[in-house]
Amino acid sequence: MATRTRSEHPPVRRGDRIFSATALGAGILILLILAGVAIFLLVQGVPGITAGRGSLSGRDSFWAYVGPFAFGTVFASIIALVVAVPIAVGIALFISHYAPRRVALALGYIVDLLAAVPSVVFGVWGITVLSPALVPIMQWLEDNAGFLPFFEGPTLTSGRNMFTAGLVLAVMILPIITAICREVFLQTPRLHEEAALALGATRWEMIRMTVFPYGRSGIVSASMLGLGRALGETLAVALVLSGSAIYTFNTLAAENSGTIAANIALQFPEASGTAVNVLIATGLILFVITFAVNYTARKIVDRRSEFSGAN
Amino acid sequence: MKSTSLRRAAAPGALALSAVLAVSACSASNEEDDDAANTASVEGGDELSGTLNGGGASSQEAAMEAWRAGFQEATNPDVTVNYDPVGSGGGREQFISGGFTFAGSDSYLEGEELAGAEERCGGTVVEIPSYISPIAVIYNLPDVDTLNLAPEVVAGIFAGEITAWDDPAIAEDNPDAELPDLEINPVHRSDESGTTGNFTSYMDATASDVWTFGETEVWPDVGGEAAAQTSGVVSAVEGGEGSVGYADASQAGELGTAAIGVGEEFVEYSPEAAAAVVDASEQVEGRGDTGLVYDLARDTTEEGVYPIVLVSYHIACLEYEEELDAELTRAFLTYVISPAGQDAAAENAGSAPISDTIQEQAQAAVDQITAG
């Protein structure tokens, strides 16, 4: 009798109620904040989408205005991702499977520390140190790989082009991708690894057979988190990138596609009237892009998880 | 050390000046009404207290710091002057809506905005050109000490039509310079700015057949390297040999600055040459003696005038509803255009002090500010 009552009405203490209410509140709060941001972007942005030439720096329509910046945003982020993901996976593997324990710990701290550097510092570093240092490399790429549209040149003498901006972004998203990959790789079931080794696999073969399949969805979601940060990164790009409102795959020249976030930061201080709405509307586009990226990432992770080897 | 001693020397002058002006201003308004507030300020300009809210052009920000400090330290310790550097457009907007008592703006009021401002003031608007900042054409060519650039050449470089330093068009004006066989990398502002507006206005006025993009505060689609803010442009030019850009002259630092072709000669920028362009310009018609606004004679051929300048205005009402607003605005703007105020701005922001003629006219306009 007593057992039945308990299963129908589990005992509820005050602590349980408070905890469940707090958790529920936190869940609702995040939805409210997100909804609030979305509503703000919509209400303030819609007048911008229909704005006339005067507020669009001479462009005919809002879409013609935002297009190059949307392209530049995605392009810069993809460069960052292409550079950062292999390095991050390498660092994570080194920390989780190769390095001696003490080295791994220290290296982990250092990578995490990189995440704590403010983006304006990355921007200033990009201008003063990285871009001049990269100019010889860019020059070499232009001379030797100039047949590729990416390295057409002519190389900008100050080095403040998409090439540098992409690399600065890569450095900035490196820690978050590394940290997540490291944690995922460490979760690989010991039995899988030992089974692979017992079958005569070398360490690299073991990693390919067990760690990668198990961690694939983790790598994807880590990359998507990194991509999210790269898409929204503002100040470093605003400082480093010589951005214009054009479409170009050329990463070395003086004219590069600007990014949405950097454009907002640059134009907002002097903007007034409808021009502000236009900038907020470009923010809405960035919001949509980021949402689409996250949604796609979630889809990929969901599909991959069935074959991840975790089951 | 230098700045302290200068400010100390300037302070008594400013005090005496503003006291005299306060008396003369009040004697004029006493004829109309003789209320308590006016009597109070006759006893001493330093007894004003209250808060004056203004905002607008960010170009004036550095000068405004100097003015605010000078105004408070010298004569009016109890007055708080707030200046919100929201940008010229925002400044005009908020002046019209009544948010700001005065506004700073890189361009003067026109059309609808002028009508709106007149409505807000219930009558005439006061506009005075109180901040003149020369814009230098800076270049990075280590072996070239002086560079002469004719207006068409400046426009050609920034329009992307002249692409090499040893171009005959440049060589023609620089017979003595050893111009390198180097590509020109023109650098411009990536953010919307009054500096860009004035620079494009110069090219539009002097070489509109080469520079076909008109006057614009956002750089048009002509290519070149884009950099954020004045400091960004300067560091981009410093970073790349063969680069050329435009920036507040005070920020040029070690870089070479070009002498600009005016008439038959080439003029290096100097504060006097920059201030002279306002004197060489015609006042816009129909604005009375309180609307001291100018369509700058960028294409002037007058000797010793440097035509690439940014002129920033202060906008105020001729008649305020509140006595306090009128008094504070009058006192503050009087300080701003006074020699002490202009010197403080020159020291802090590298601006060019306005000429005596403009100062007199502006003072006459400011003196008329009253409460209705």
Side-chain angles (χ1 to χ4, degrees):
Chain A
M1 187 71 187
T3 330
R4 257 185 69 200
T5 334
R6 193 174 296 153
S7 67
E8 276 172 13
H9 301 284
V12 177
R13 297 217 179 84
R14 197 162 49 166
D16 288 293
R17 273 207 208 92
I18 294 174
F19 180 75
S20 95
T22 322
L24 182 70
I28 292 175
L29 187 69
I30 191 70
L31 284 180
L32 282 180
I33 292 173
L34 197 66
V37 170
I39 290 169
F40 157 77
L41 285 172
L42 273 174
V43 170
Q44 297 279 314
V46 166
I49 293 178
T50 54
R53 287 179 66 93
S55 317
L56 295 168
S57 2
R59 274 339 142 237
D60 287 328
S61 75
F62 172 74
W63 304 110
Y65 176 79
V66 75
F69 297 125
F71 169 80
T73 305
V74 175
F75 188 42
S77 306
I78 289 175
I79 294 176
L81 215 54
V82 166
V83 176
V85 169
I87 299 177
V89 168
I91 299 174
L93 266 188
F94 178 72
I95 292 175
S96 64
H97 284 83
Y98 282 89
R101 210 181 137 65
R102 285 175 60 186
V103 178
L105 265 178
L107 198 61
Y109 279 130
I110 291 171
V111 172
D112 288 347
L113 206 63
L114 207 57
V117 178
S119 65
V120 64
V121 174
F122 277 114
V124 174
W125 169 72
I127 289 185
T128 52
V129 179
L130 189 64
S131 44
L134 285 176
V135 167
I137 300 174
M138 295 173 191
Q139 198 65 55
W140 185 87
L141 281 171
E142 183 196 332
D143 295 341
N144 295 289
F147 55 88
L148 291 170
F150 306 113
F151 304 126
E152 221 175 271
T155 298
L156 179 59
T157 44
S158 65
R160 295 176 51 256
N161 49 24
M162 186 61 96
F163 190 82
T164 310
L167 289 189
V168 170
L169 282 179
V171 175
M172 295 180 71
I173 64 175
L174 201 57
I176 191 165
I177 303 181
T178 308
I180 295 175
C181 286
R182 182 186 64 202
E183 292 309 315
V184 171
F185 293 162
L186 284 172
Q187 303 294 318
T188 314
R190 196 91 218 156
L191 279 175
H192 291 202
E193 293 179 10
E194 282 169 4
L197 291 172
L199 287 170
T202 62
R203 193 185 284 193
W204 167 238
E205 285 166 341
M206 178 271 282
I207 286 170
R208 251 182 20 201
M209 283 192 290
T210 63
V211 178
F212 281 163
Y214 182 83
R216 193 170 289 150
S217 66
I219 298 175
V220 172
S221 55
S223 309
M224 290 303 146
L225 270 175
L227 185 62
R229 172 152 195 213
L231 287 171
E233 178 45 46
T234 309
L235 209 51
V237 179
L239 287 171
V240 169
L241 183 64
S242 157
S244 313
I246 54 163
Y247 296 96
T248 175
F249 280 110
N250 190 346
T251 61
L252 299 180
E255 292 98 36
N256 306 278
S257 307
T259 74
I260 292 179
N263 182 58
I264 295 176
L266 288 170
Q267 307 306 337
F268 193 76
E270 291 280 331
S272 59
T274 330
V276 174
N277 297 104
V278 170
L279 291 178
I280 293 173
T282 63
L284 180 65
I285 302 297
L286 182 60
F287 187 76
V288 171
I289 293 175
T290 316
F291 185 79
V293 164
N294 277 318
Y295 182 78
T296 321
R298 192 52 68 93
K299 276 271 167 244
I300 294 172
V301 172
D302 284 352
R303 209 177 56 211
R304 288 287 165 88
S305 63
E306 293 164 30
F307 312 105
S308 70
N311 37 10
Chain B
M1 201 58 223
K2 202 177 171 189
S3 80
T4 332
S5 62
L6 199 117
R7 190 165 291 158
R8 216 173 275 150
L15 187 86
L17 190 79
S18 71
V20 169
L21 292 167
V23 170
S24 68
C26 289
S27 61
S29 59
N30 277 350
E31 287 164 21
E32 286 141 32
D33 56 359
D34 196 2
D35 59 31
N38 272 343
T39 329
S41 64
V42 172
E43 285 165 6
D46 55 345
E47 283 186 22
L48 276 174
S49 68
T51 304
L52 180 60
N53 289 317
S58 50
S59 58
Q60 293 186 15
E61 205 179 350
M64 191 54 80
E65 272 172 34
W67 287 330
R68 205 159 41 190
F71 181 67
Q72 285 168 352
E73 280 169 24
T75 45
N76 298 284
D78 298 330
V79 179
T80 310
V81 181
N82 297 319
Y83 187 82
D84 188 359
V86 290
S88 296
R92 294 194 299 268
E93 215 167 77
Q94 292 196 47
F95 176 75
I96 291 167
S97 68
F100 290 151
T101 311
F102 74 97
S105 169
D106 292 344
S107 52
Y108 56 80
L109 292 165
E110 279 181 290
E112 264 178 46
E113 282 189 323
L114 179 59
E118 280 172 344
E119 195 180 320
R120 183 249 150 130
C121 292
T124 317
V125 180
V126 177
E127 288 179 83
I128 49 172
S130 38
Y131 179 75
I132 301 175
S133 170
I135 299 169
V137 176
I138 50 179
Y139 64 92
N140 182 347
L141 292 173
D143 298 330
V144 179
D145 292 333
T146 57
L147 183 67
N148 295 331
L149 296 176
E152 301 76 35
V153 177
V154 174
I157 289 173
F158 282 93
E161 286 178 14
I162 299 175
T163 56
W165 281 109
D166 53 359
D167 191 286
I170 305 177
E172 196 182 321
D173 293 331
N174 297 281
D176 302 330
E178 276 186 43
L179 294 164
D181 170 21
L182 196 67
E183 262 189 66
I184 301 179
N185 175 40
V187 183
H188 60 84
R189 289 278 289 265
S190 57
D191 50 332
E192 182 173 354
S193 103
T195 312
T196 303
N198 281 278
F199 186 66
T200 52
S201 157
Y202 164 76
M203 294 193 289
D204 185 46
T206 54
S208 57
D209 49 334
V210 186
W211 179 259
T212 52
F213 308 93
E215 177 186 346
T216 165
E217 298 214 327
V218 179
W219 192 255
D221 296 332
V222 286
E225 180 174 357
Q229 318 276 0
T230 299
S231 56
V233 171
V234 172
S235 75
V237 174
E238 278 171 350
E241 197 177 328
S243 297
V244 56
Y246 57 91
D248 284 358
S250 57
Q251 306 299 317
E254 304 276 294
L255 289 165
T257 55
I260 300 300
V262 177
E264 293 299 305
E265 50 164 12
F266 290 91
V267 183
E268 285 264 10
Y269 95 85
S270 68
E272 298 74 31
V277 73
V278 180
D279 295 277
S281 306
E282 295 267 327
Q283 192 191 342
V284 174
E285 276 179 34
R287 301 296 298 272
D289 56 354
T290 57
L292 298 176
V293 297
Y294 299 86
D295 283 325
L296 292 176
R298 311 261 190 206
D299 52 352
T300 183
T301 52
E302 215 163 299
E303 222 172 285
V305 173
Y306 185 82
I308 317 179
V309 297
L310 177 150
V311 174
S312 200
Y313 295 90
H314 277 130
I315 302 173
C317 288
L318 192 62
E319 267 191 21
Y320 284 96
E321 280 176 18
E322 302 286 331
E323 181 67 41
L324 185 65
D325 284 345
E327 294 225 1
L328 292 177
T329 309
R330 196 170 56 219
F332 182 64
L333 292 185
T334 298
Y335 170 73
V336 164
I337 56 176
S338 70
Q342 289 292 310
D343 286 344
E347 198 185 328
N348 213 33
S351 63
I354 55 177
S355 70
D356 293 345
T357 330
I358 300 291
Q359 200 266 334
E360 274 166 34
Q361 291 175 2
Q363 188 60 58
V366 169
D367 285 346
Q368 294 178 46
I369 296 176
T370 54

